[in-house]
Structures are given as C-alpha cells and as structure tokens.
Amino acid sequence: MKTKVSDAKKAYKMQQWIAGIVLTLGGLLVAIPFIWMILSAFKPESEVLQLTPTLWPETFTAENFIYLFENMNFGVYLKNTIIVVLCSFVGLFFNAMAGYAFAKYKFKGRDKLFYLVLATMMIPGQVTMIPVYLILNQMGLTNTMTGVVLPGLVGAFSIFLFRQFMSTIPDELLEAARLDGASEFRVFMQLILPISKPIMAVQGILTFIAGWNSFLWPLIIANDESLYTLSVGLSLLKGQYGGNFALQMAGSTFMVVPIVIIFIIFQKHIIEGYTISGMK
C-alpha cells in the first residue's frame, strides 16, 4: 500500500516538473519578442539592420529615446496621457459612488436603471463614438482635453464591479454608522471606501491600463497634435519613421514597459477583478 502511495507521489511530482518545464519554455517563447524589442531600443539603427541580428546590443545608446522627446513631442504625449489617467481616477470615484447607490439604496426604478447600465456593456464602444462625438461637438468640446477625458470618466463595467462588491457589505454596518450620526457622505468616505480597498485596487489598475493605452478616442476627438496621447504618438511614429526600426522599438518600449511592470506587480489584483465580477 505504501509503495502505491509513494509511486503516486513520484508520478505527481514528475507531472509537476514536466508541466513546469513546458510552461517555462512557453513563457520564454512569448517573452522573446518583448525582450528583443526592449534591447533593440538601445541599439543604433545600423546594428538593428544587420543581416545577422543580435539579441544583446553591441553598443548601448539612449539616442533613440532622446530623439523621441526632442523631435517627436513624446514629452507632450506623455503629459496628455498622464492627464487622461489622472482624470480616469477621478471618474473611478464617481463609479464607486454609482456602484454604492445601486448596491445599498432602494429607489424607484433602481433595478431597471441598473439593467440599462448593464445593457450598455453589450454595445461596442465604436458604435457609440459617433453620437458621443456629435454631442461633444454641439457642446464645443471637440479638439479639447475636456472632450478627450470626459467620455472615459464613467464606465458600466466599473459600476458593475463596485455594485457586486459593495452588495456583500453588511447593512448592519451602515445602520450603526447612521445611528452614530454619520452623514451619508461620511458613511461612504469613511466606511465604504476603506472596506472596498480590494476592488478599488483592482479598478485602479484597470483604469490605469485603459488610460495609458487610450488611442482611438483621442485620435477621433482631437485634431491638434498637442492633445495626442502616447498611443497616437506611437502611430504617428510608425507613419513618419516607418524605416527607422530602432526608433520604433524605442517608442514601443516606452509605451509597453510601464504596462508590463504594472501587470507583473499587481497581476493578482487584476485577476481578482474578473473573479469579483462573478460574486453574488
């Protein structure tokens, strides 16, 4: 009997080793293009165009990044992207308030309104871009930073996640705070938000990634290059310097590396964000 158990453990460990080796090799295969892109960003153009490509740069140089900021206005694109991300975090607060209202307040038409919010998740964003553009045009907000950030302040998916999480908070806590004389806003700020730190972290990460990668809407709403984001700037780089691969690698690296770092550090929270959406 002991021999069978021992053999089963050995077989299980062997399977773990095999699975680990396969996953490691698969991870390396997926990571090689990213590693090559990052290292190529520090190569001169002549080295990138060599007939025999090299992974490790023979000559490290930061000229590609310097050129991006001095000649391609990447400093302006970075500033605009940071503005979009910060405004998205302000919208995160509004989403939390909406989710709290749907979770804990009872008012006429609450469920119907929430279903309407959920229904907007089924509509592709590309479909609503034209009416949103026409509305902002009537308001005189086209080609402005306000027009760039305004449609992204609230999102149905974010409201849904907050509502799902806050529905699990016991009502007794809220009633106790109200009996102690706390106002509704104070209950939300000092009780609900601290309890909701996990979902706030999840949504903060997803909001950062969405804001950092914003491309299509800034390209549509803004005609002035001074309002473009990093993603739009990277597209312009590809069009203007299509033959300069080292410069393109530098632009792509500058765009991708922060997202990769954020994902590596907070991947647990990102995965939790999609598991929380299934909570009851």
Side-chain angles (χ1 to χ4, degrees):
M1 187 69 179
K2 292 183 178 179
T3 304
K4 292 182 179 180
V5 173
S6 178
D7 291 341
K9 288 183 178 180
K10 289 181 179 179
Y12 179 71
K13 289 182 179 179
M14 181 61 66
Q15 291 175 358
Q16 284 185 318
W17 274 101
I18 294 174
I21 292 172
V22 172
L23 291 175
T24 301
L25 292 175
L28 288 175
L29 289 175
V30 172
I32 283 175
F34 291 98
I35 296 172
W36 185 81
M37 176 190 71
I38 294 171
L39 294 177
S40 296
F42 294 95
K43 298 177 183 178
E45 179 66 11
S46 58
E47 186 176 341
V48 175
L49 295 177
Q50 286 180 357
L51 291 178
T52 304
T54 58
L55 181 63
W56 194 261
E58 296 176 1
T59 304
F60 269 92
T61 178
E63 292 181 358
N64 296 317
F65 294 97
I66 295 173
Y67 188 90
L68 289 177
F69 283 90
E70 291 185 350
N71 300 90
M72 285 294 297
N73 294 326
F74 259 62
V76 176
Y77 304 151
L78 176 61
K79 181 194 71 174
N80 294 335
T81 304
I82 292 175
I83 291 174
V84 171
V85 170
L86 293 178
C87 291
S88 298
F89 281 122
V90 175
L92 184 64
F93 179 74
F94 295 145
N95 291 329
M97 294 181 69
Y100 173 61
F102 280 122
K104 294 301 179 183
Y105 286 103
K106 295 181 180 180
F107 53 90
K108 187 177 181 180
R110 181 190 67 171
D111 294 336
K112 293 181 180 178
L113 183 59
F114 182 66
Y115 294 148
L116 182 62
V117 171
L118 291 183
T120 62
M121 295 173 58
M122 305 176 189
I123 303 173
Q126 294 83 353
V127 175
T128 59
M129 282 184 177
I130 294 177
V132 171
Y133 179 88
L134 294 176
I135 292 172
L136 293 178
N137 188 42
Q138 291 292 326
M139 298 172 64
L141 295 178
T142 55
N143 203 34
T144 63
M145 184 54 66
T146 303
V148 173
V149 302
L150 191 60
L153 286 181
V154 294
F157 181 68
S158 181
I159 293 174
F160 171 69
L161 284 187
F162 277 115
R163 188 258 185 187
Q164 292 296 95
F165 184 88
M166 292 177 180
S167 296
T168 63
I169 299 176
D171 293 333
E172 289 77 8
L173 290 176
L174 309 183
E175 294 299 330
R178 289 165 183 156
L179 289 175
D180 288 339
S183 63
E184 293 299 320
F185 186 74
R186 186 177 179 184
V187 170
F188 177 73
M189 294 295 296
Q190 296 187 0
L191 183 62
I192 299 299
L193 288 185
I195 294 176
S196 303
K197 281 183 179 180
I199 190 62
M200 289 292 291
V202 170
Q203 281 302 111
I205 296 163
L206 297 178
T207 298
F208 171 82
I209 294 175
W212 188 266
N213 289 332
S214 56
F215 168 73
L216 188 56
W217 181 249
L219 182 63
I220 293 174
I221 198 68
N223 299 322
D224 191 350
E225 188 178 345
S226 63
L227 297 174
Y228 286 166
T229 58
L230 283 172
S231 295
V232 181
L234 187 61
S235 178
L236 293 177
L237 175 64
K238 182 180 178 181
Q240 297 177 16
Y241 297 90
N244 194 329
F245 299 106
L247 199 60
Q248 291 187 58
M249 293 300 103
S252 300
T253 298
F254 188 75
M255 183 72 200
V256 171
V257 166
I259 298 296
V260 174
I261 293 174
I262 290 294
F263 182 82
I264 291 174
I265 296 175
F266 299 105
Q267 58 179 324
K268 178 181 177 181
H269 295 291
I270 295 174
I271 295 172
E272 284 179 355
Y274 295 100
T275 57
I276 287 174
S277 63
M279 287 175 55
K280 293 183 180 180

